[in-house]
Amino acid sequence: MDRVSAGARPLASAEIIAVGSELLGTTRIDTNSLFLAGRLASLGIDLRAKSVVGDDRATLAAAVTSALTRADLVLLTGGLGPTDDDLTREVVAGVLGLALHEQSAIVLQIEERFARRGLRMPDANRRQAMVPEGGVSLDNPNGTAPGLLIDHGEQVIVLLPGPPRELQPMFDGLCAGRLLARAGLERTFHASLFVAGRGESHVEEIVQPIYSGWVTGDAPIQTTILAMPGQVELHLAHRAQDPDAGARRVSAARDELAAALGRDVFSLDGRSLEEVVGGLLTDRGLTLSAAESCTGGLLLSRLTDVPGSSRYVLGGVVAYSNELKASLAGVPESTVAAHGAVSEAVAVALAEGIRARTGSSLAVGITGIAGPGGGTDQKPVGTVAIALAGRDMPSRARLFSFFGGRPQVKFQASQAGLDMVRRGLQFPQGG
Amino acid sequence: MDRVSAGARPLASAEIIAVGSELLGTTRIDTNSLFLAGRLASLGIDLRAKSVVGDDRATLAAAVTSALTRADLVLLTGGLGPTDDDLTREVVAGVLGLALHEQSAIVLQIEERFARRGLRMPDANRRQAMVPEGGVSLDNPNGTAPGLLIDHGEQVIVLLPGPPRELQPMFDGLCAGRLLARAGLERTFHASLFVAGRGESHVEEIVQPIYSGWVTGDAPIQTTILAMPGQVELHLAHRAQDPDAGARRVSAARDELAAALGRDVFSLDGRSLEEVVGGLLTDRGLTLSAAESCTGGLLLSRLTDVPGSSRYVLGGVVAYSNELKASLAGVPESTVAAHGAVSEAVAVALAEGIRARTGSSLAVGITGIAGPGGGTDQKPVGTVAIALAGRDMPSRARLFSFFGGRPQVKFQASQAGLDMVRRGLQFPQGG
């Protein structure tokens, strides 16, 4: 909070403009605005509208001009790259009537970034060092494009790079504090619960009688239910001026929902299932391996997305063919012959086999039909057997049937495998 | 095609406005615009911008007014329901200065819809029967909200219901023909090239002198460069009246860029790298396996996202620890001791080891430091060694240094591994 504009009108309203012709096609969508919407809500700044414009000077200028007639804060994302079609910096400076100057310190930073990889900075990148008069350049440790924050009378304009992994740390590290100092007193308090192993309508049946009482009254709480592949998310939002009271109210509401949903709740703090499983393994000093068939390595890949996962993930095998199930994971050919490759017995043999070969505390085995081919009447596409084996526990296995295309079946199977590990650790007596 | 406005200027440009406060939160996103973008492209109408506004009279009026200053066609989605916060019909009529009249035929239709379910029509639904002067009501067999098409001088405004299963048949059945009759004769032709192994600025240096010549002149082509982790995409768009000439022109332009970029181009038809590699393996009747350390199974998981991949992906291992590199993939401990776990020699040993154990035609070995921990001065986070081994070829290996957080390093490493397979198959003599 290095900026206080005493007496200035607080920032109450915001608009977001995403820049990029690729966002006007049939496949790509602006998702940065979802992140920014959440951050603006916590700052208590009302997001009134958002728009997407192509890499076109006139349309972008019109969009910026129009947003400035309505919003206290205008956030632009994208179009800060080094190429000819990256126009955001120039167009915003033009609309505000500010001259652009090259800042040599920024040129140096970008040159160093290239030099670290043994490369020469292309001339095109110099335009990324242009800063409008009175603007503050925002350092970008994750890319070449610095951001910009421009104080313009009682309004603020922020330019952020398009890639989420550059935009998000830049907003949290360099913008949120400055904007907080300019925002009003009311904040939005959030809480969330993530649920696995239960569908959206069943979650809704359980929680609707509870949250419907919170919508009206003195301190309303807004509840959003979001169905994702393999998990249902509940998001709570509550506006209050007193930070302690606001946080208490929304936590109490979350805990009431969690009690009703029981063991299916895997996260109260926004952590993904792979992070939760990693935390449980770390706490207990245990290790994990996996033998995957239809998920093709997705379960291990998700586990190893978590920093520090090398402490508890030993590794495993991906075995599509029955030959590799035998040679890599020690699945007896007789088990496949007796039960079929997609069976609880083969899932158990995969889990126990890979656990024996890696020496891990726990192991997961997955075998199934991801589709679109390979289904039969008895075992249609989406049939997946998953097993968990452990040093001091009897192996457990379950047959699932998942809906959706190949990537959805793969994801849900990896999710069910991770959830089986979670339940095995949290509820060793079964659950 | 039941409408011809002889002499009217053709509809060339469009904007989309999605209405609904729920689309300004952190979870819901407007996807109708993806469907409409595709339909507009086939009509040859250029989508210039799209926006989302909440259920707020003033903001919606400002957005409609602003869009009408720029676009020939304004498409609004949502806000046609029966409740108080459904404002689209009223606000658009207000902006255009048109009075609304209740159409008794529409009231009857909505009443009948309710009656079929044994229900009485709530009074609130009468507002759905309000039609502005000169507007055409669009029947909605899938919901209560009719759409509206308004001819306004040389401009057209279309109001569509928000739910996709109501919007899509209404657009295709009742709007597309009317708009086609008003659109010009021009259509847009698209082409794309995907590049791996080269950064955005270097691609730009190569292609900018070529495409900059296409921007002006008789038949301009618009080029968009898009940097993704591990790949750079070039998208070309070209408007023409003659379908054969248009398709030829954009293909010739694409081929000119492809020739300049050479072996780094992996896709001319929008296919992902894993699909391209799958196609090459299938064509040649070859199989693949992999031994992954820092990518944790991501390369195999991406390969097995492709339907039919079980024909050419045999499987592989994920080996984080040196012990598992030895026991699962046969990497000699002496190789690790002599070169370090992250080295081209260990990558080659992983590839050759897993190829021997699976009997695959080709194999990839990957070992590196995904971070955030584990980096050293000599081998910082992002250092990854990748090798390709094959039945009838000398193994090849390369040391990469990738930027970004853990998931970005993992993704780029899997991309470089897949690209090494592609180059090995397309350019067996090296490339």
Side-chain angles (χ1 to χ4, degrees), chain A residues 73 79 147 166 176 197 213 286 324 372:
Chain A
L73 170 66
E166 301 179 25
L286 300 175
L324 287 197

Side-chain angles (χ1 to χ4, degrees), chain B residues 101-394:
Chain B
H101 301 288
E102 186 179 293
Q103 294 205 349
S104 51
I106 304 177
V107 176
L108 273 179
Q109 272 175 12
I110 303 176
E111 279 177 345
E112 274 165 23
R113 204 181 151 76
F114 276 94
R116 279 200 300 278
R117 300 171 65 191
L119 299 170
R120 189 185 58 77
M121 181 187 87
D123 261 359
N125 287 76
R126 298 191 86 89
R127 64 196 296 165
Q128 298 186 302
M130 302 296 279
V131 174
E133 271 169 57
V136 177
S137 177
L138 306 172
D139 193 29
N140 182 355
N142 303 302
T144 57
L148 281 173
L149 188 144
I150 307 169
D151 266 299
H152 187 68
E154 293 196 318
Q155 292 175 296
V156 177
I157 300 99
V158 179
L159 282 63
L160 298 164
R165 59 178 226 82
E166 301 179 26
L167 176 145
Q168 296 183 6
M170 187 183 288
F171 187 88
D172 286 343
L174 300 173
C175 297
R178 287 182 164 94
L179 297 177
L180 183 62
R182 293 280 305 266
L185 294 174
E186 278 194 351
R187 299 285 170 269
T188 306
F189 298 87
H190 296 275
S192 65
L193 295 92
F194 296 174
V195 173
R198 207 175 268 277
E200 183 186 17
S201 340
H202 288 113
V203 170
E204 169 79 356
E205 276 192 336
I206 296 170
V207 298
Q208 199 273 345
I210 303 172
Y211 77 70
S212 59
W214 302 337
V215 178
T216 51
D218 271 356
I221 296 178
Q222 188 200 327
T223 307
T224 306
I225 304 187
L226 190 60
M228 316 282 291
Q231 76 188 44
V232 177
E233 301 183 7
L234 299 171
H235 293 272
L236 309 182
H238 169 58
R239 290 173 66 85
Q241 289 203 5
D242 176 353
D244 290 337
R248 266 199 315 275
R249 169 92 171 108
V250 79
S251 303
R254 179 196 60 196
D255 293 345
E256 196 179 340
L257 294 181
L261 290 163
R263 295 181 169 187
D264 296 332
V265 175
F266 69 81
S267 178
L268 294 176
D269 53 9
R271 282 187 306 159
S272 66
L273 189 49
E274 50 269 38
E275 289 173 296
V276 169
V277 166
L280 291 168
L281 291 167
T282 303
D283 290 348
R284 288 159 175 73
L286 300 175
T287 58
L288 184 68
S289 64
E292 306 183 48
S293 177
C294 67
T295 43
L298 180 59
L299 182 135
L300 285 167
S301 180
R302 288 182 59 192
L303 278 167
T304 58
D305 280 344
V306 180
S309 48
S310 56
R311 283 198 304 273
Y312 50 83
V313 177
L314 296 186
V317 301
V318 176
Y320 255 35
S321 66
N322 292 338
E323 293 72 43
L324 287 197
K325 286 185 182 72
S327 66
L328 294 180
V331 175
E333 280 171 34
S334 58
T335 309
V336 176
H339 303 273
V342 177
S343 60
E344 288 162 280
V346 168
V348 167
L350 282 166
E352 293 180 348
I354 195 64
R355 205 183 79 70
R357 290 180 180 215
T358 61
S360 62
S361 330
L362 292 167
V364 179
I366 304 181
T367 176
I369 303 151
T376 64
D377 280 354
Q378 275 76 44
K379 292 176 182 171
V381 167
T383 305
V384 180
I386 307 183
L388 177 67
R391 190 171 290 143
D392 304 311
M393 54 172 264

Side-chain angles (χ1 to χ4, degrees), chain A residues 211-245:
Chain A
Y211 77 71
S212 59
W214 302 337
V215 179
T216 51
D218 270 356
I221 296 178
Q222 190 201 327
T223 306
T224 307
I225 303 187
L226 189 61
M228 317 280 290
Q231 76 189 47
V232 177
E233 301 184 7
L234 299 171
H235 293 273
L236 309 182
H238 169 58
R239 285 178 70 86
Q241 285 207 7
D242 176 353
D244 290 337

Side-chain angles (χ1 to χ4, degrees), chain A residues 23 26 28 38 49-52 84 117 165 296 300-301 304-305 309-310 314-318 320 324 406 410, chain B residues 23 26 38 49-52 208 226 233 296 300-301 304-305 309-310 314-318 320 324 403 406 408 410:
Chain A
L23 299 172
T26 58
R28 296 271 165 72
K50 58 186 190 185
S51 52
V52 175
D84 277 355
R117 301 174 66 190
R165 63 174 221 85
L300 285 166
S301 181
T304 58
D305 280 344
S309 48
S310 55
L314 296 186
V317 301
V318 175
Y320 255 36
L324 287 197
R406 188 175 176 89
K410 280 183 64 179
Chain B
L23 300 171
T26 58
K50 58 186 189 183
S51 52
V52 175
Q208 199 273 345
L226 190 60
E233 301 183 7
L300 285 167
S301 180
T304 58
D305 280 344
S309 48
S310 56
L314 296 186
V317 301
V318 176
Y320 255 35
L324 287 197
F403 278 130
R406 187 175 177 88
Q408 286 76 35
K410 280 184 64 179

Side-chain angles (χ1 to χ4, degrees), chain A residues 102-116:
Chain A
E102 186 178 294
Q103 294 206 349
S104 51
I106 304 177
V107 176
L108 274 178
Q109 272 175 11
I110 302 176
E111 279 176 347
E112 275 166 19
R113 204 179 150 76
F114 277 93
R116 278 201 300 279

